[in-house]
């Protein structure tokens, strides 16, 4: 028996990689279920394609006062949270990231003199990077302790957080999900030839925000080994801080003809449809949302056995896992997958099944919805 629809304030970095995608897709799917979703953010979430009747956006404005070296965004956010709690009579706050968002939520709640429930979702970077900084560990712990419930996007992140942060209460794992209507096998039309790839060439793909943690030089070295044995091209999709260094490496290795930088793209299902294998060799990864996007499009991956990745990619089932930095193993596994047709077909089928059975949006969104009610009703 569900008595009423909820009014939920969502705090996230809407344009930041996987966590932004999860926060906005979850908001849209909750809105589709009739809940009133209030995004309190600095910029308009990029996935808001159409104006949804159950979604509102509350901008956090911050002036660049010359007296401040760093504009106090976290305080401005807390202030806006306090206003929206009161003006919209919110039932609940869902914040993505312990630092800074859970801390701003605690402050905003206090400013509003409110008892509103707060759910914090950990995505990785806040714990795996900030949690190792002794000065910030207490802040992460404070953010979690001030929340009524904390979720982690993988069991690995949950364990790591419990060990590193030692919060007062338990953390619950709720896996990431994708929009199954968008991520599915699609007809890519003439995309392969449009990108200058011949029909008989195998296509490898890497999608990320080109940060150091993604270890793109390992991707390039692995591809070099693969391309020495078979006719193949590599698509590098995305933008980010390492882009120039990667371009320089590609030139140095003389791979310009074989590696295509596509920049940021919106047509990921089509790009995945023309691809034969994903390479994802990060040194840290709480989940690896692109791996799930690939699975949902029927694409197997070679990925590193780190963080939450083994919860998404099952070795020998829907892809292969290799140790961090083990380029010869990545080359071997990629060549095996790309040359054994029978194995490839099985991996592809299992990829689709993993996305459908373990990470389906309806299952995961229901887990969040259940938690929303539990936290809201306990107040
Ligand atoms: O990995 C990034 O560079 C971005 C970051 C983010 O906040 O979007 O990704 C984290 O959250 C994603 C969504 O939950 C996860 O899929 C990523 O694995 C996680 N990144 C890391 O743990 C490094």
């Amino acid at each position: 028996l569900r008595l009423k629809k909820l009014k939920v304030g969502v705090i996230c970095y809407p344009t930041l990689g996987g966590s932004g995608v999860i926060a906005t897709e979850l908001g849209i799917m909750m809105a589709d279920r009739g809940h009133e979703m209030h995004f309190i953010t600095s910029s308009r979430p990029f996935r808001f394609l159409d104006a949804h009747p159950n979604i509102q956006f509350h901008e956090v404005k911050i002036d660049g006062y010359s007296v401040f070296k760093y504009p106090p965004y976290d305080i401005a956010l807390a202030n806006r949270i306090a206003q929206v709690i009161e003006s919209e009579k919110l039932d609940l706050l869902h914040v993505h990231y312990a630092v800074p968002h859970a801390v701003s939520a605690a402050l905003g709640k206090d400013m509003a003199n409110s008892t509103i429930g707060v759910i914090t979702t950990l995505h990785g970077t806040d714990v795996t990077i900030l949690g190792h900084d002794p000065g910030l560990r207490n802040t992460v712990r404070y953010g979690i302790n001030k929340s009524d419930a904390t979720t982690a996007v993988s069991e690995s992140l949950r364990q790591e957080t419990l060990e590193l942060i030692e919060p007062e209460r338990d953390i619950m794992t709720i896996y990431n999900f994708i929009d199954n209507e968008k991520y599915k096998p699609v007809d890519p039309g003439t995309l392969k030839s449009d990108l200058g790839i011949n029909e008989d060439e195998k296509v490898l793909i890497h999608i990320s925000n080109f940060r150091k943690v993604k270890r793109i030089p390992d991707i390039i070295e692995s591809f070099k080994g693969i391309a020495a044995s078979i006719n193949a091209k590599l698509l590098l999709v995305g933008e980010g801080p390492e882009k120039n260094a990667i371009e320089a490496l590609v030139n140095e290795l003389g791979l310009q003809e074989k590696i295509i930088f596509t920049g940021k793209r919106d047509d990921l299902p089509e790009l995945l449809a023309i691809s034969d294998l994903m390479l994802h060799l990060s040194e840290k990864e709480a989940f690896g949302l692109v791996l799930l996007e690939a699975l949902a499009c029927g694409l197997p991956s070679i990925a590193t056995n780190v963080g939450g990745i083994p919860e998404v990619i099952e070795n020998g089932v829907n892809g292969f896992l290799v140790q961090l930095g083990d380029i010869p193993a990545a080359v071997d596994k990629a060549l095996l997958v790309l040359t054994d047709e029978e194995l490839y077909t099985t991996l592809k089928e299992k990829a689709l099944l993993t996305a459908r059975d373990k990470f389906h949006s309806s299952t995961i969104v229901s887990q969040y919805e259940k938690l929303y009610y539990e936290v809201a009703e306990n107040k």
Side-chain angles (χ1 to χ4, degrees), residues 4-11 23 26-31 34-40 48 54-58 81 84-85 88-96 116-120 368-369 371-373 375-376:
K4 64 162 196 163
K5 297 295 176 188
L6 299 171
K7 295 184 182 187
V8 185
V10 179
I11 294 106
L26 181 62
I28 292 167
M29 290 182 194
M30 287 293 180
H35 301 292
E36 208 178 284
M37 306 305 287
H38 295 266
F39 281 79
I40 309 170
F48 284 10
N54 288 340
I55 294 179
Q56 282 183 50
F57 168 69
H58 307 268
I81 291 171
V84 178
I85 289 175
E88 303 298 334
K89 309 216 167 0
L90 297 182
D91 299 302
L92 190 72
L93 294 173
H94 187 178
V95 306
H96 296 264
I116 191 170
V118 178
I119 298 173
T120 294
Y368 275 116
E369 193 179 34
L371 184 65
Y372 279 15
Y373 275 113
V375 170

Side-chain angles (χ1 to χ4, degrees), residues 109-121:
K109 178 177 161 174
D110 196 42
M111 282 178 181
N113 229 335
S114 162
T115 56
I116 191 170
V118 178
I119 298 173
T120 294
T121 291

Side-chain angles (χ1 to χ4, degrees), residues 16-19 97 123 176 209 211 214 284-289:
L16 188 108
S19 65
Y97 272 121
H123 286 275
N176 281 337
N209 52 15
R211 291 197 298 133
K214 305 292 173 185
K284 278 186 171 148
E285 204 71 76
F287 186 93
L289 194 61

